[in-house]
Amino acid sequence: NRGLFLASKGSESKAVVSTQSTGDYKEEFDPKLYEYPRGPLTTPDWQKTCEPAMTCYKLVEIDFKWKLIGGKVESFIGDAERRLFTTIHRQIFCSHYQWGEMTMKDIRDLEDKTKEELDQQRQKAGLQGTTEKNY
């Protein structure tokens, strides 16, 4: 039963105001400094007073088959996942005013523009993103 499996694994709560590693921190994406309608999120009970609030659940399964180094690899991947989710959720929260009122046409236009820009970047610089040296 999938429900029993998930219950046995437990869950982890990660708030959008959680501390980030120095390499990921950007002041413009800090919910504690964010001033737009829902911020700043500075009080300890902000989750009870912020309306509307959203909860996001993500199921992440990591199963590395090589038992000798499996624990270390799974731990590394889990840390990278947490880091990625925290960074993305902070960016979404602190930039929602930029896209919150967009129409579907606006969104499609932005997607097309973003795809074009990413394609150009890939052609010039190759793959980029989070790497081991960022840890």
Side-chain angles (χ1 to χ4, degrees), residues 5-6 10 24 27 36 45 61 64-65 74 87 93 97 129:
F5 170 77
L6 294 177
D24 293 334
E27 192 172 297
Y36 201 68
D45 65 340
E61 285 184 71
F64 196 80
K65 300 293 183 191
E74 289 172 1
T87 300
F93 180 84
Y97 67 91

Side-chain angles (χ1 to χ4, degrees), residues 41-97:
L41 302 180
T42 54
T43 60
D45 65 340
W46 68 267
Q47 291 169 312
K48 296 176 184 165
T49 59
C50 185
E51 289 290 333
M54 181 178 105
T55 301
C56 230
Y57 293 95
K58 294 181 177 25
L59 172 63
V60 177
E61 285 184 71
I62 304 166
D63 185 23
F64 196 80
K65 300 293 183 191
W66 296 354
K67 296 301 178 195
L68 187 62
I69 59 171
K72 289 193 181 287
V73 172
E74 289 172 1
S75 178
F76 176 80
I77 293 170
D79 291 345
E81 293 269 340
R82 278 187 285 288
R83 180 179 169 206
L84 175 68
F85 292 148
T86 300
T87 300
I88 289 172
H89 290 163
R90 288 169 67 104
Q91 290 174 352
I92 289 170
F93 180 84
C94 292
S95 64
H96 77 275
Y97 67 91

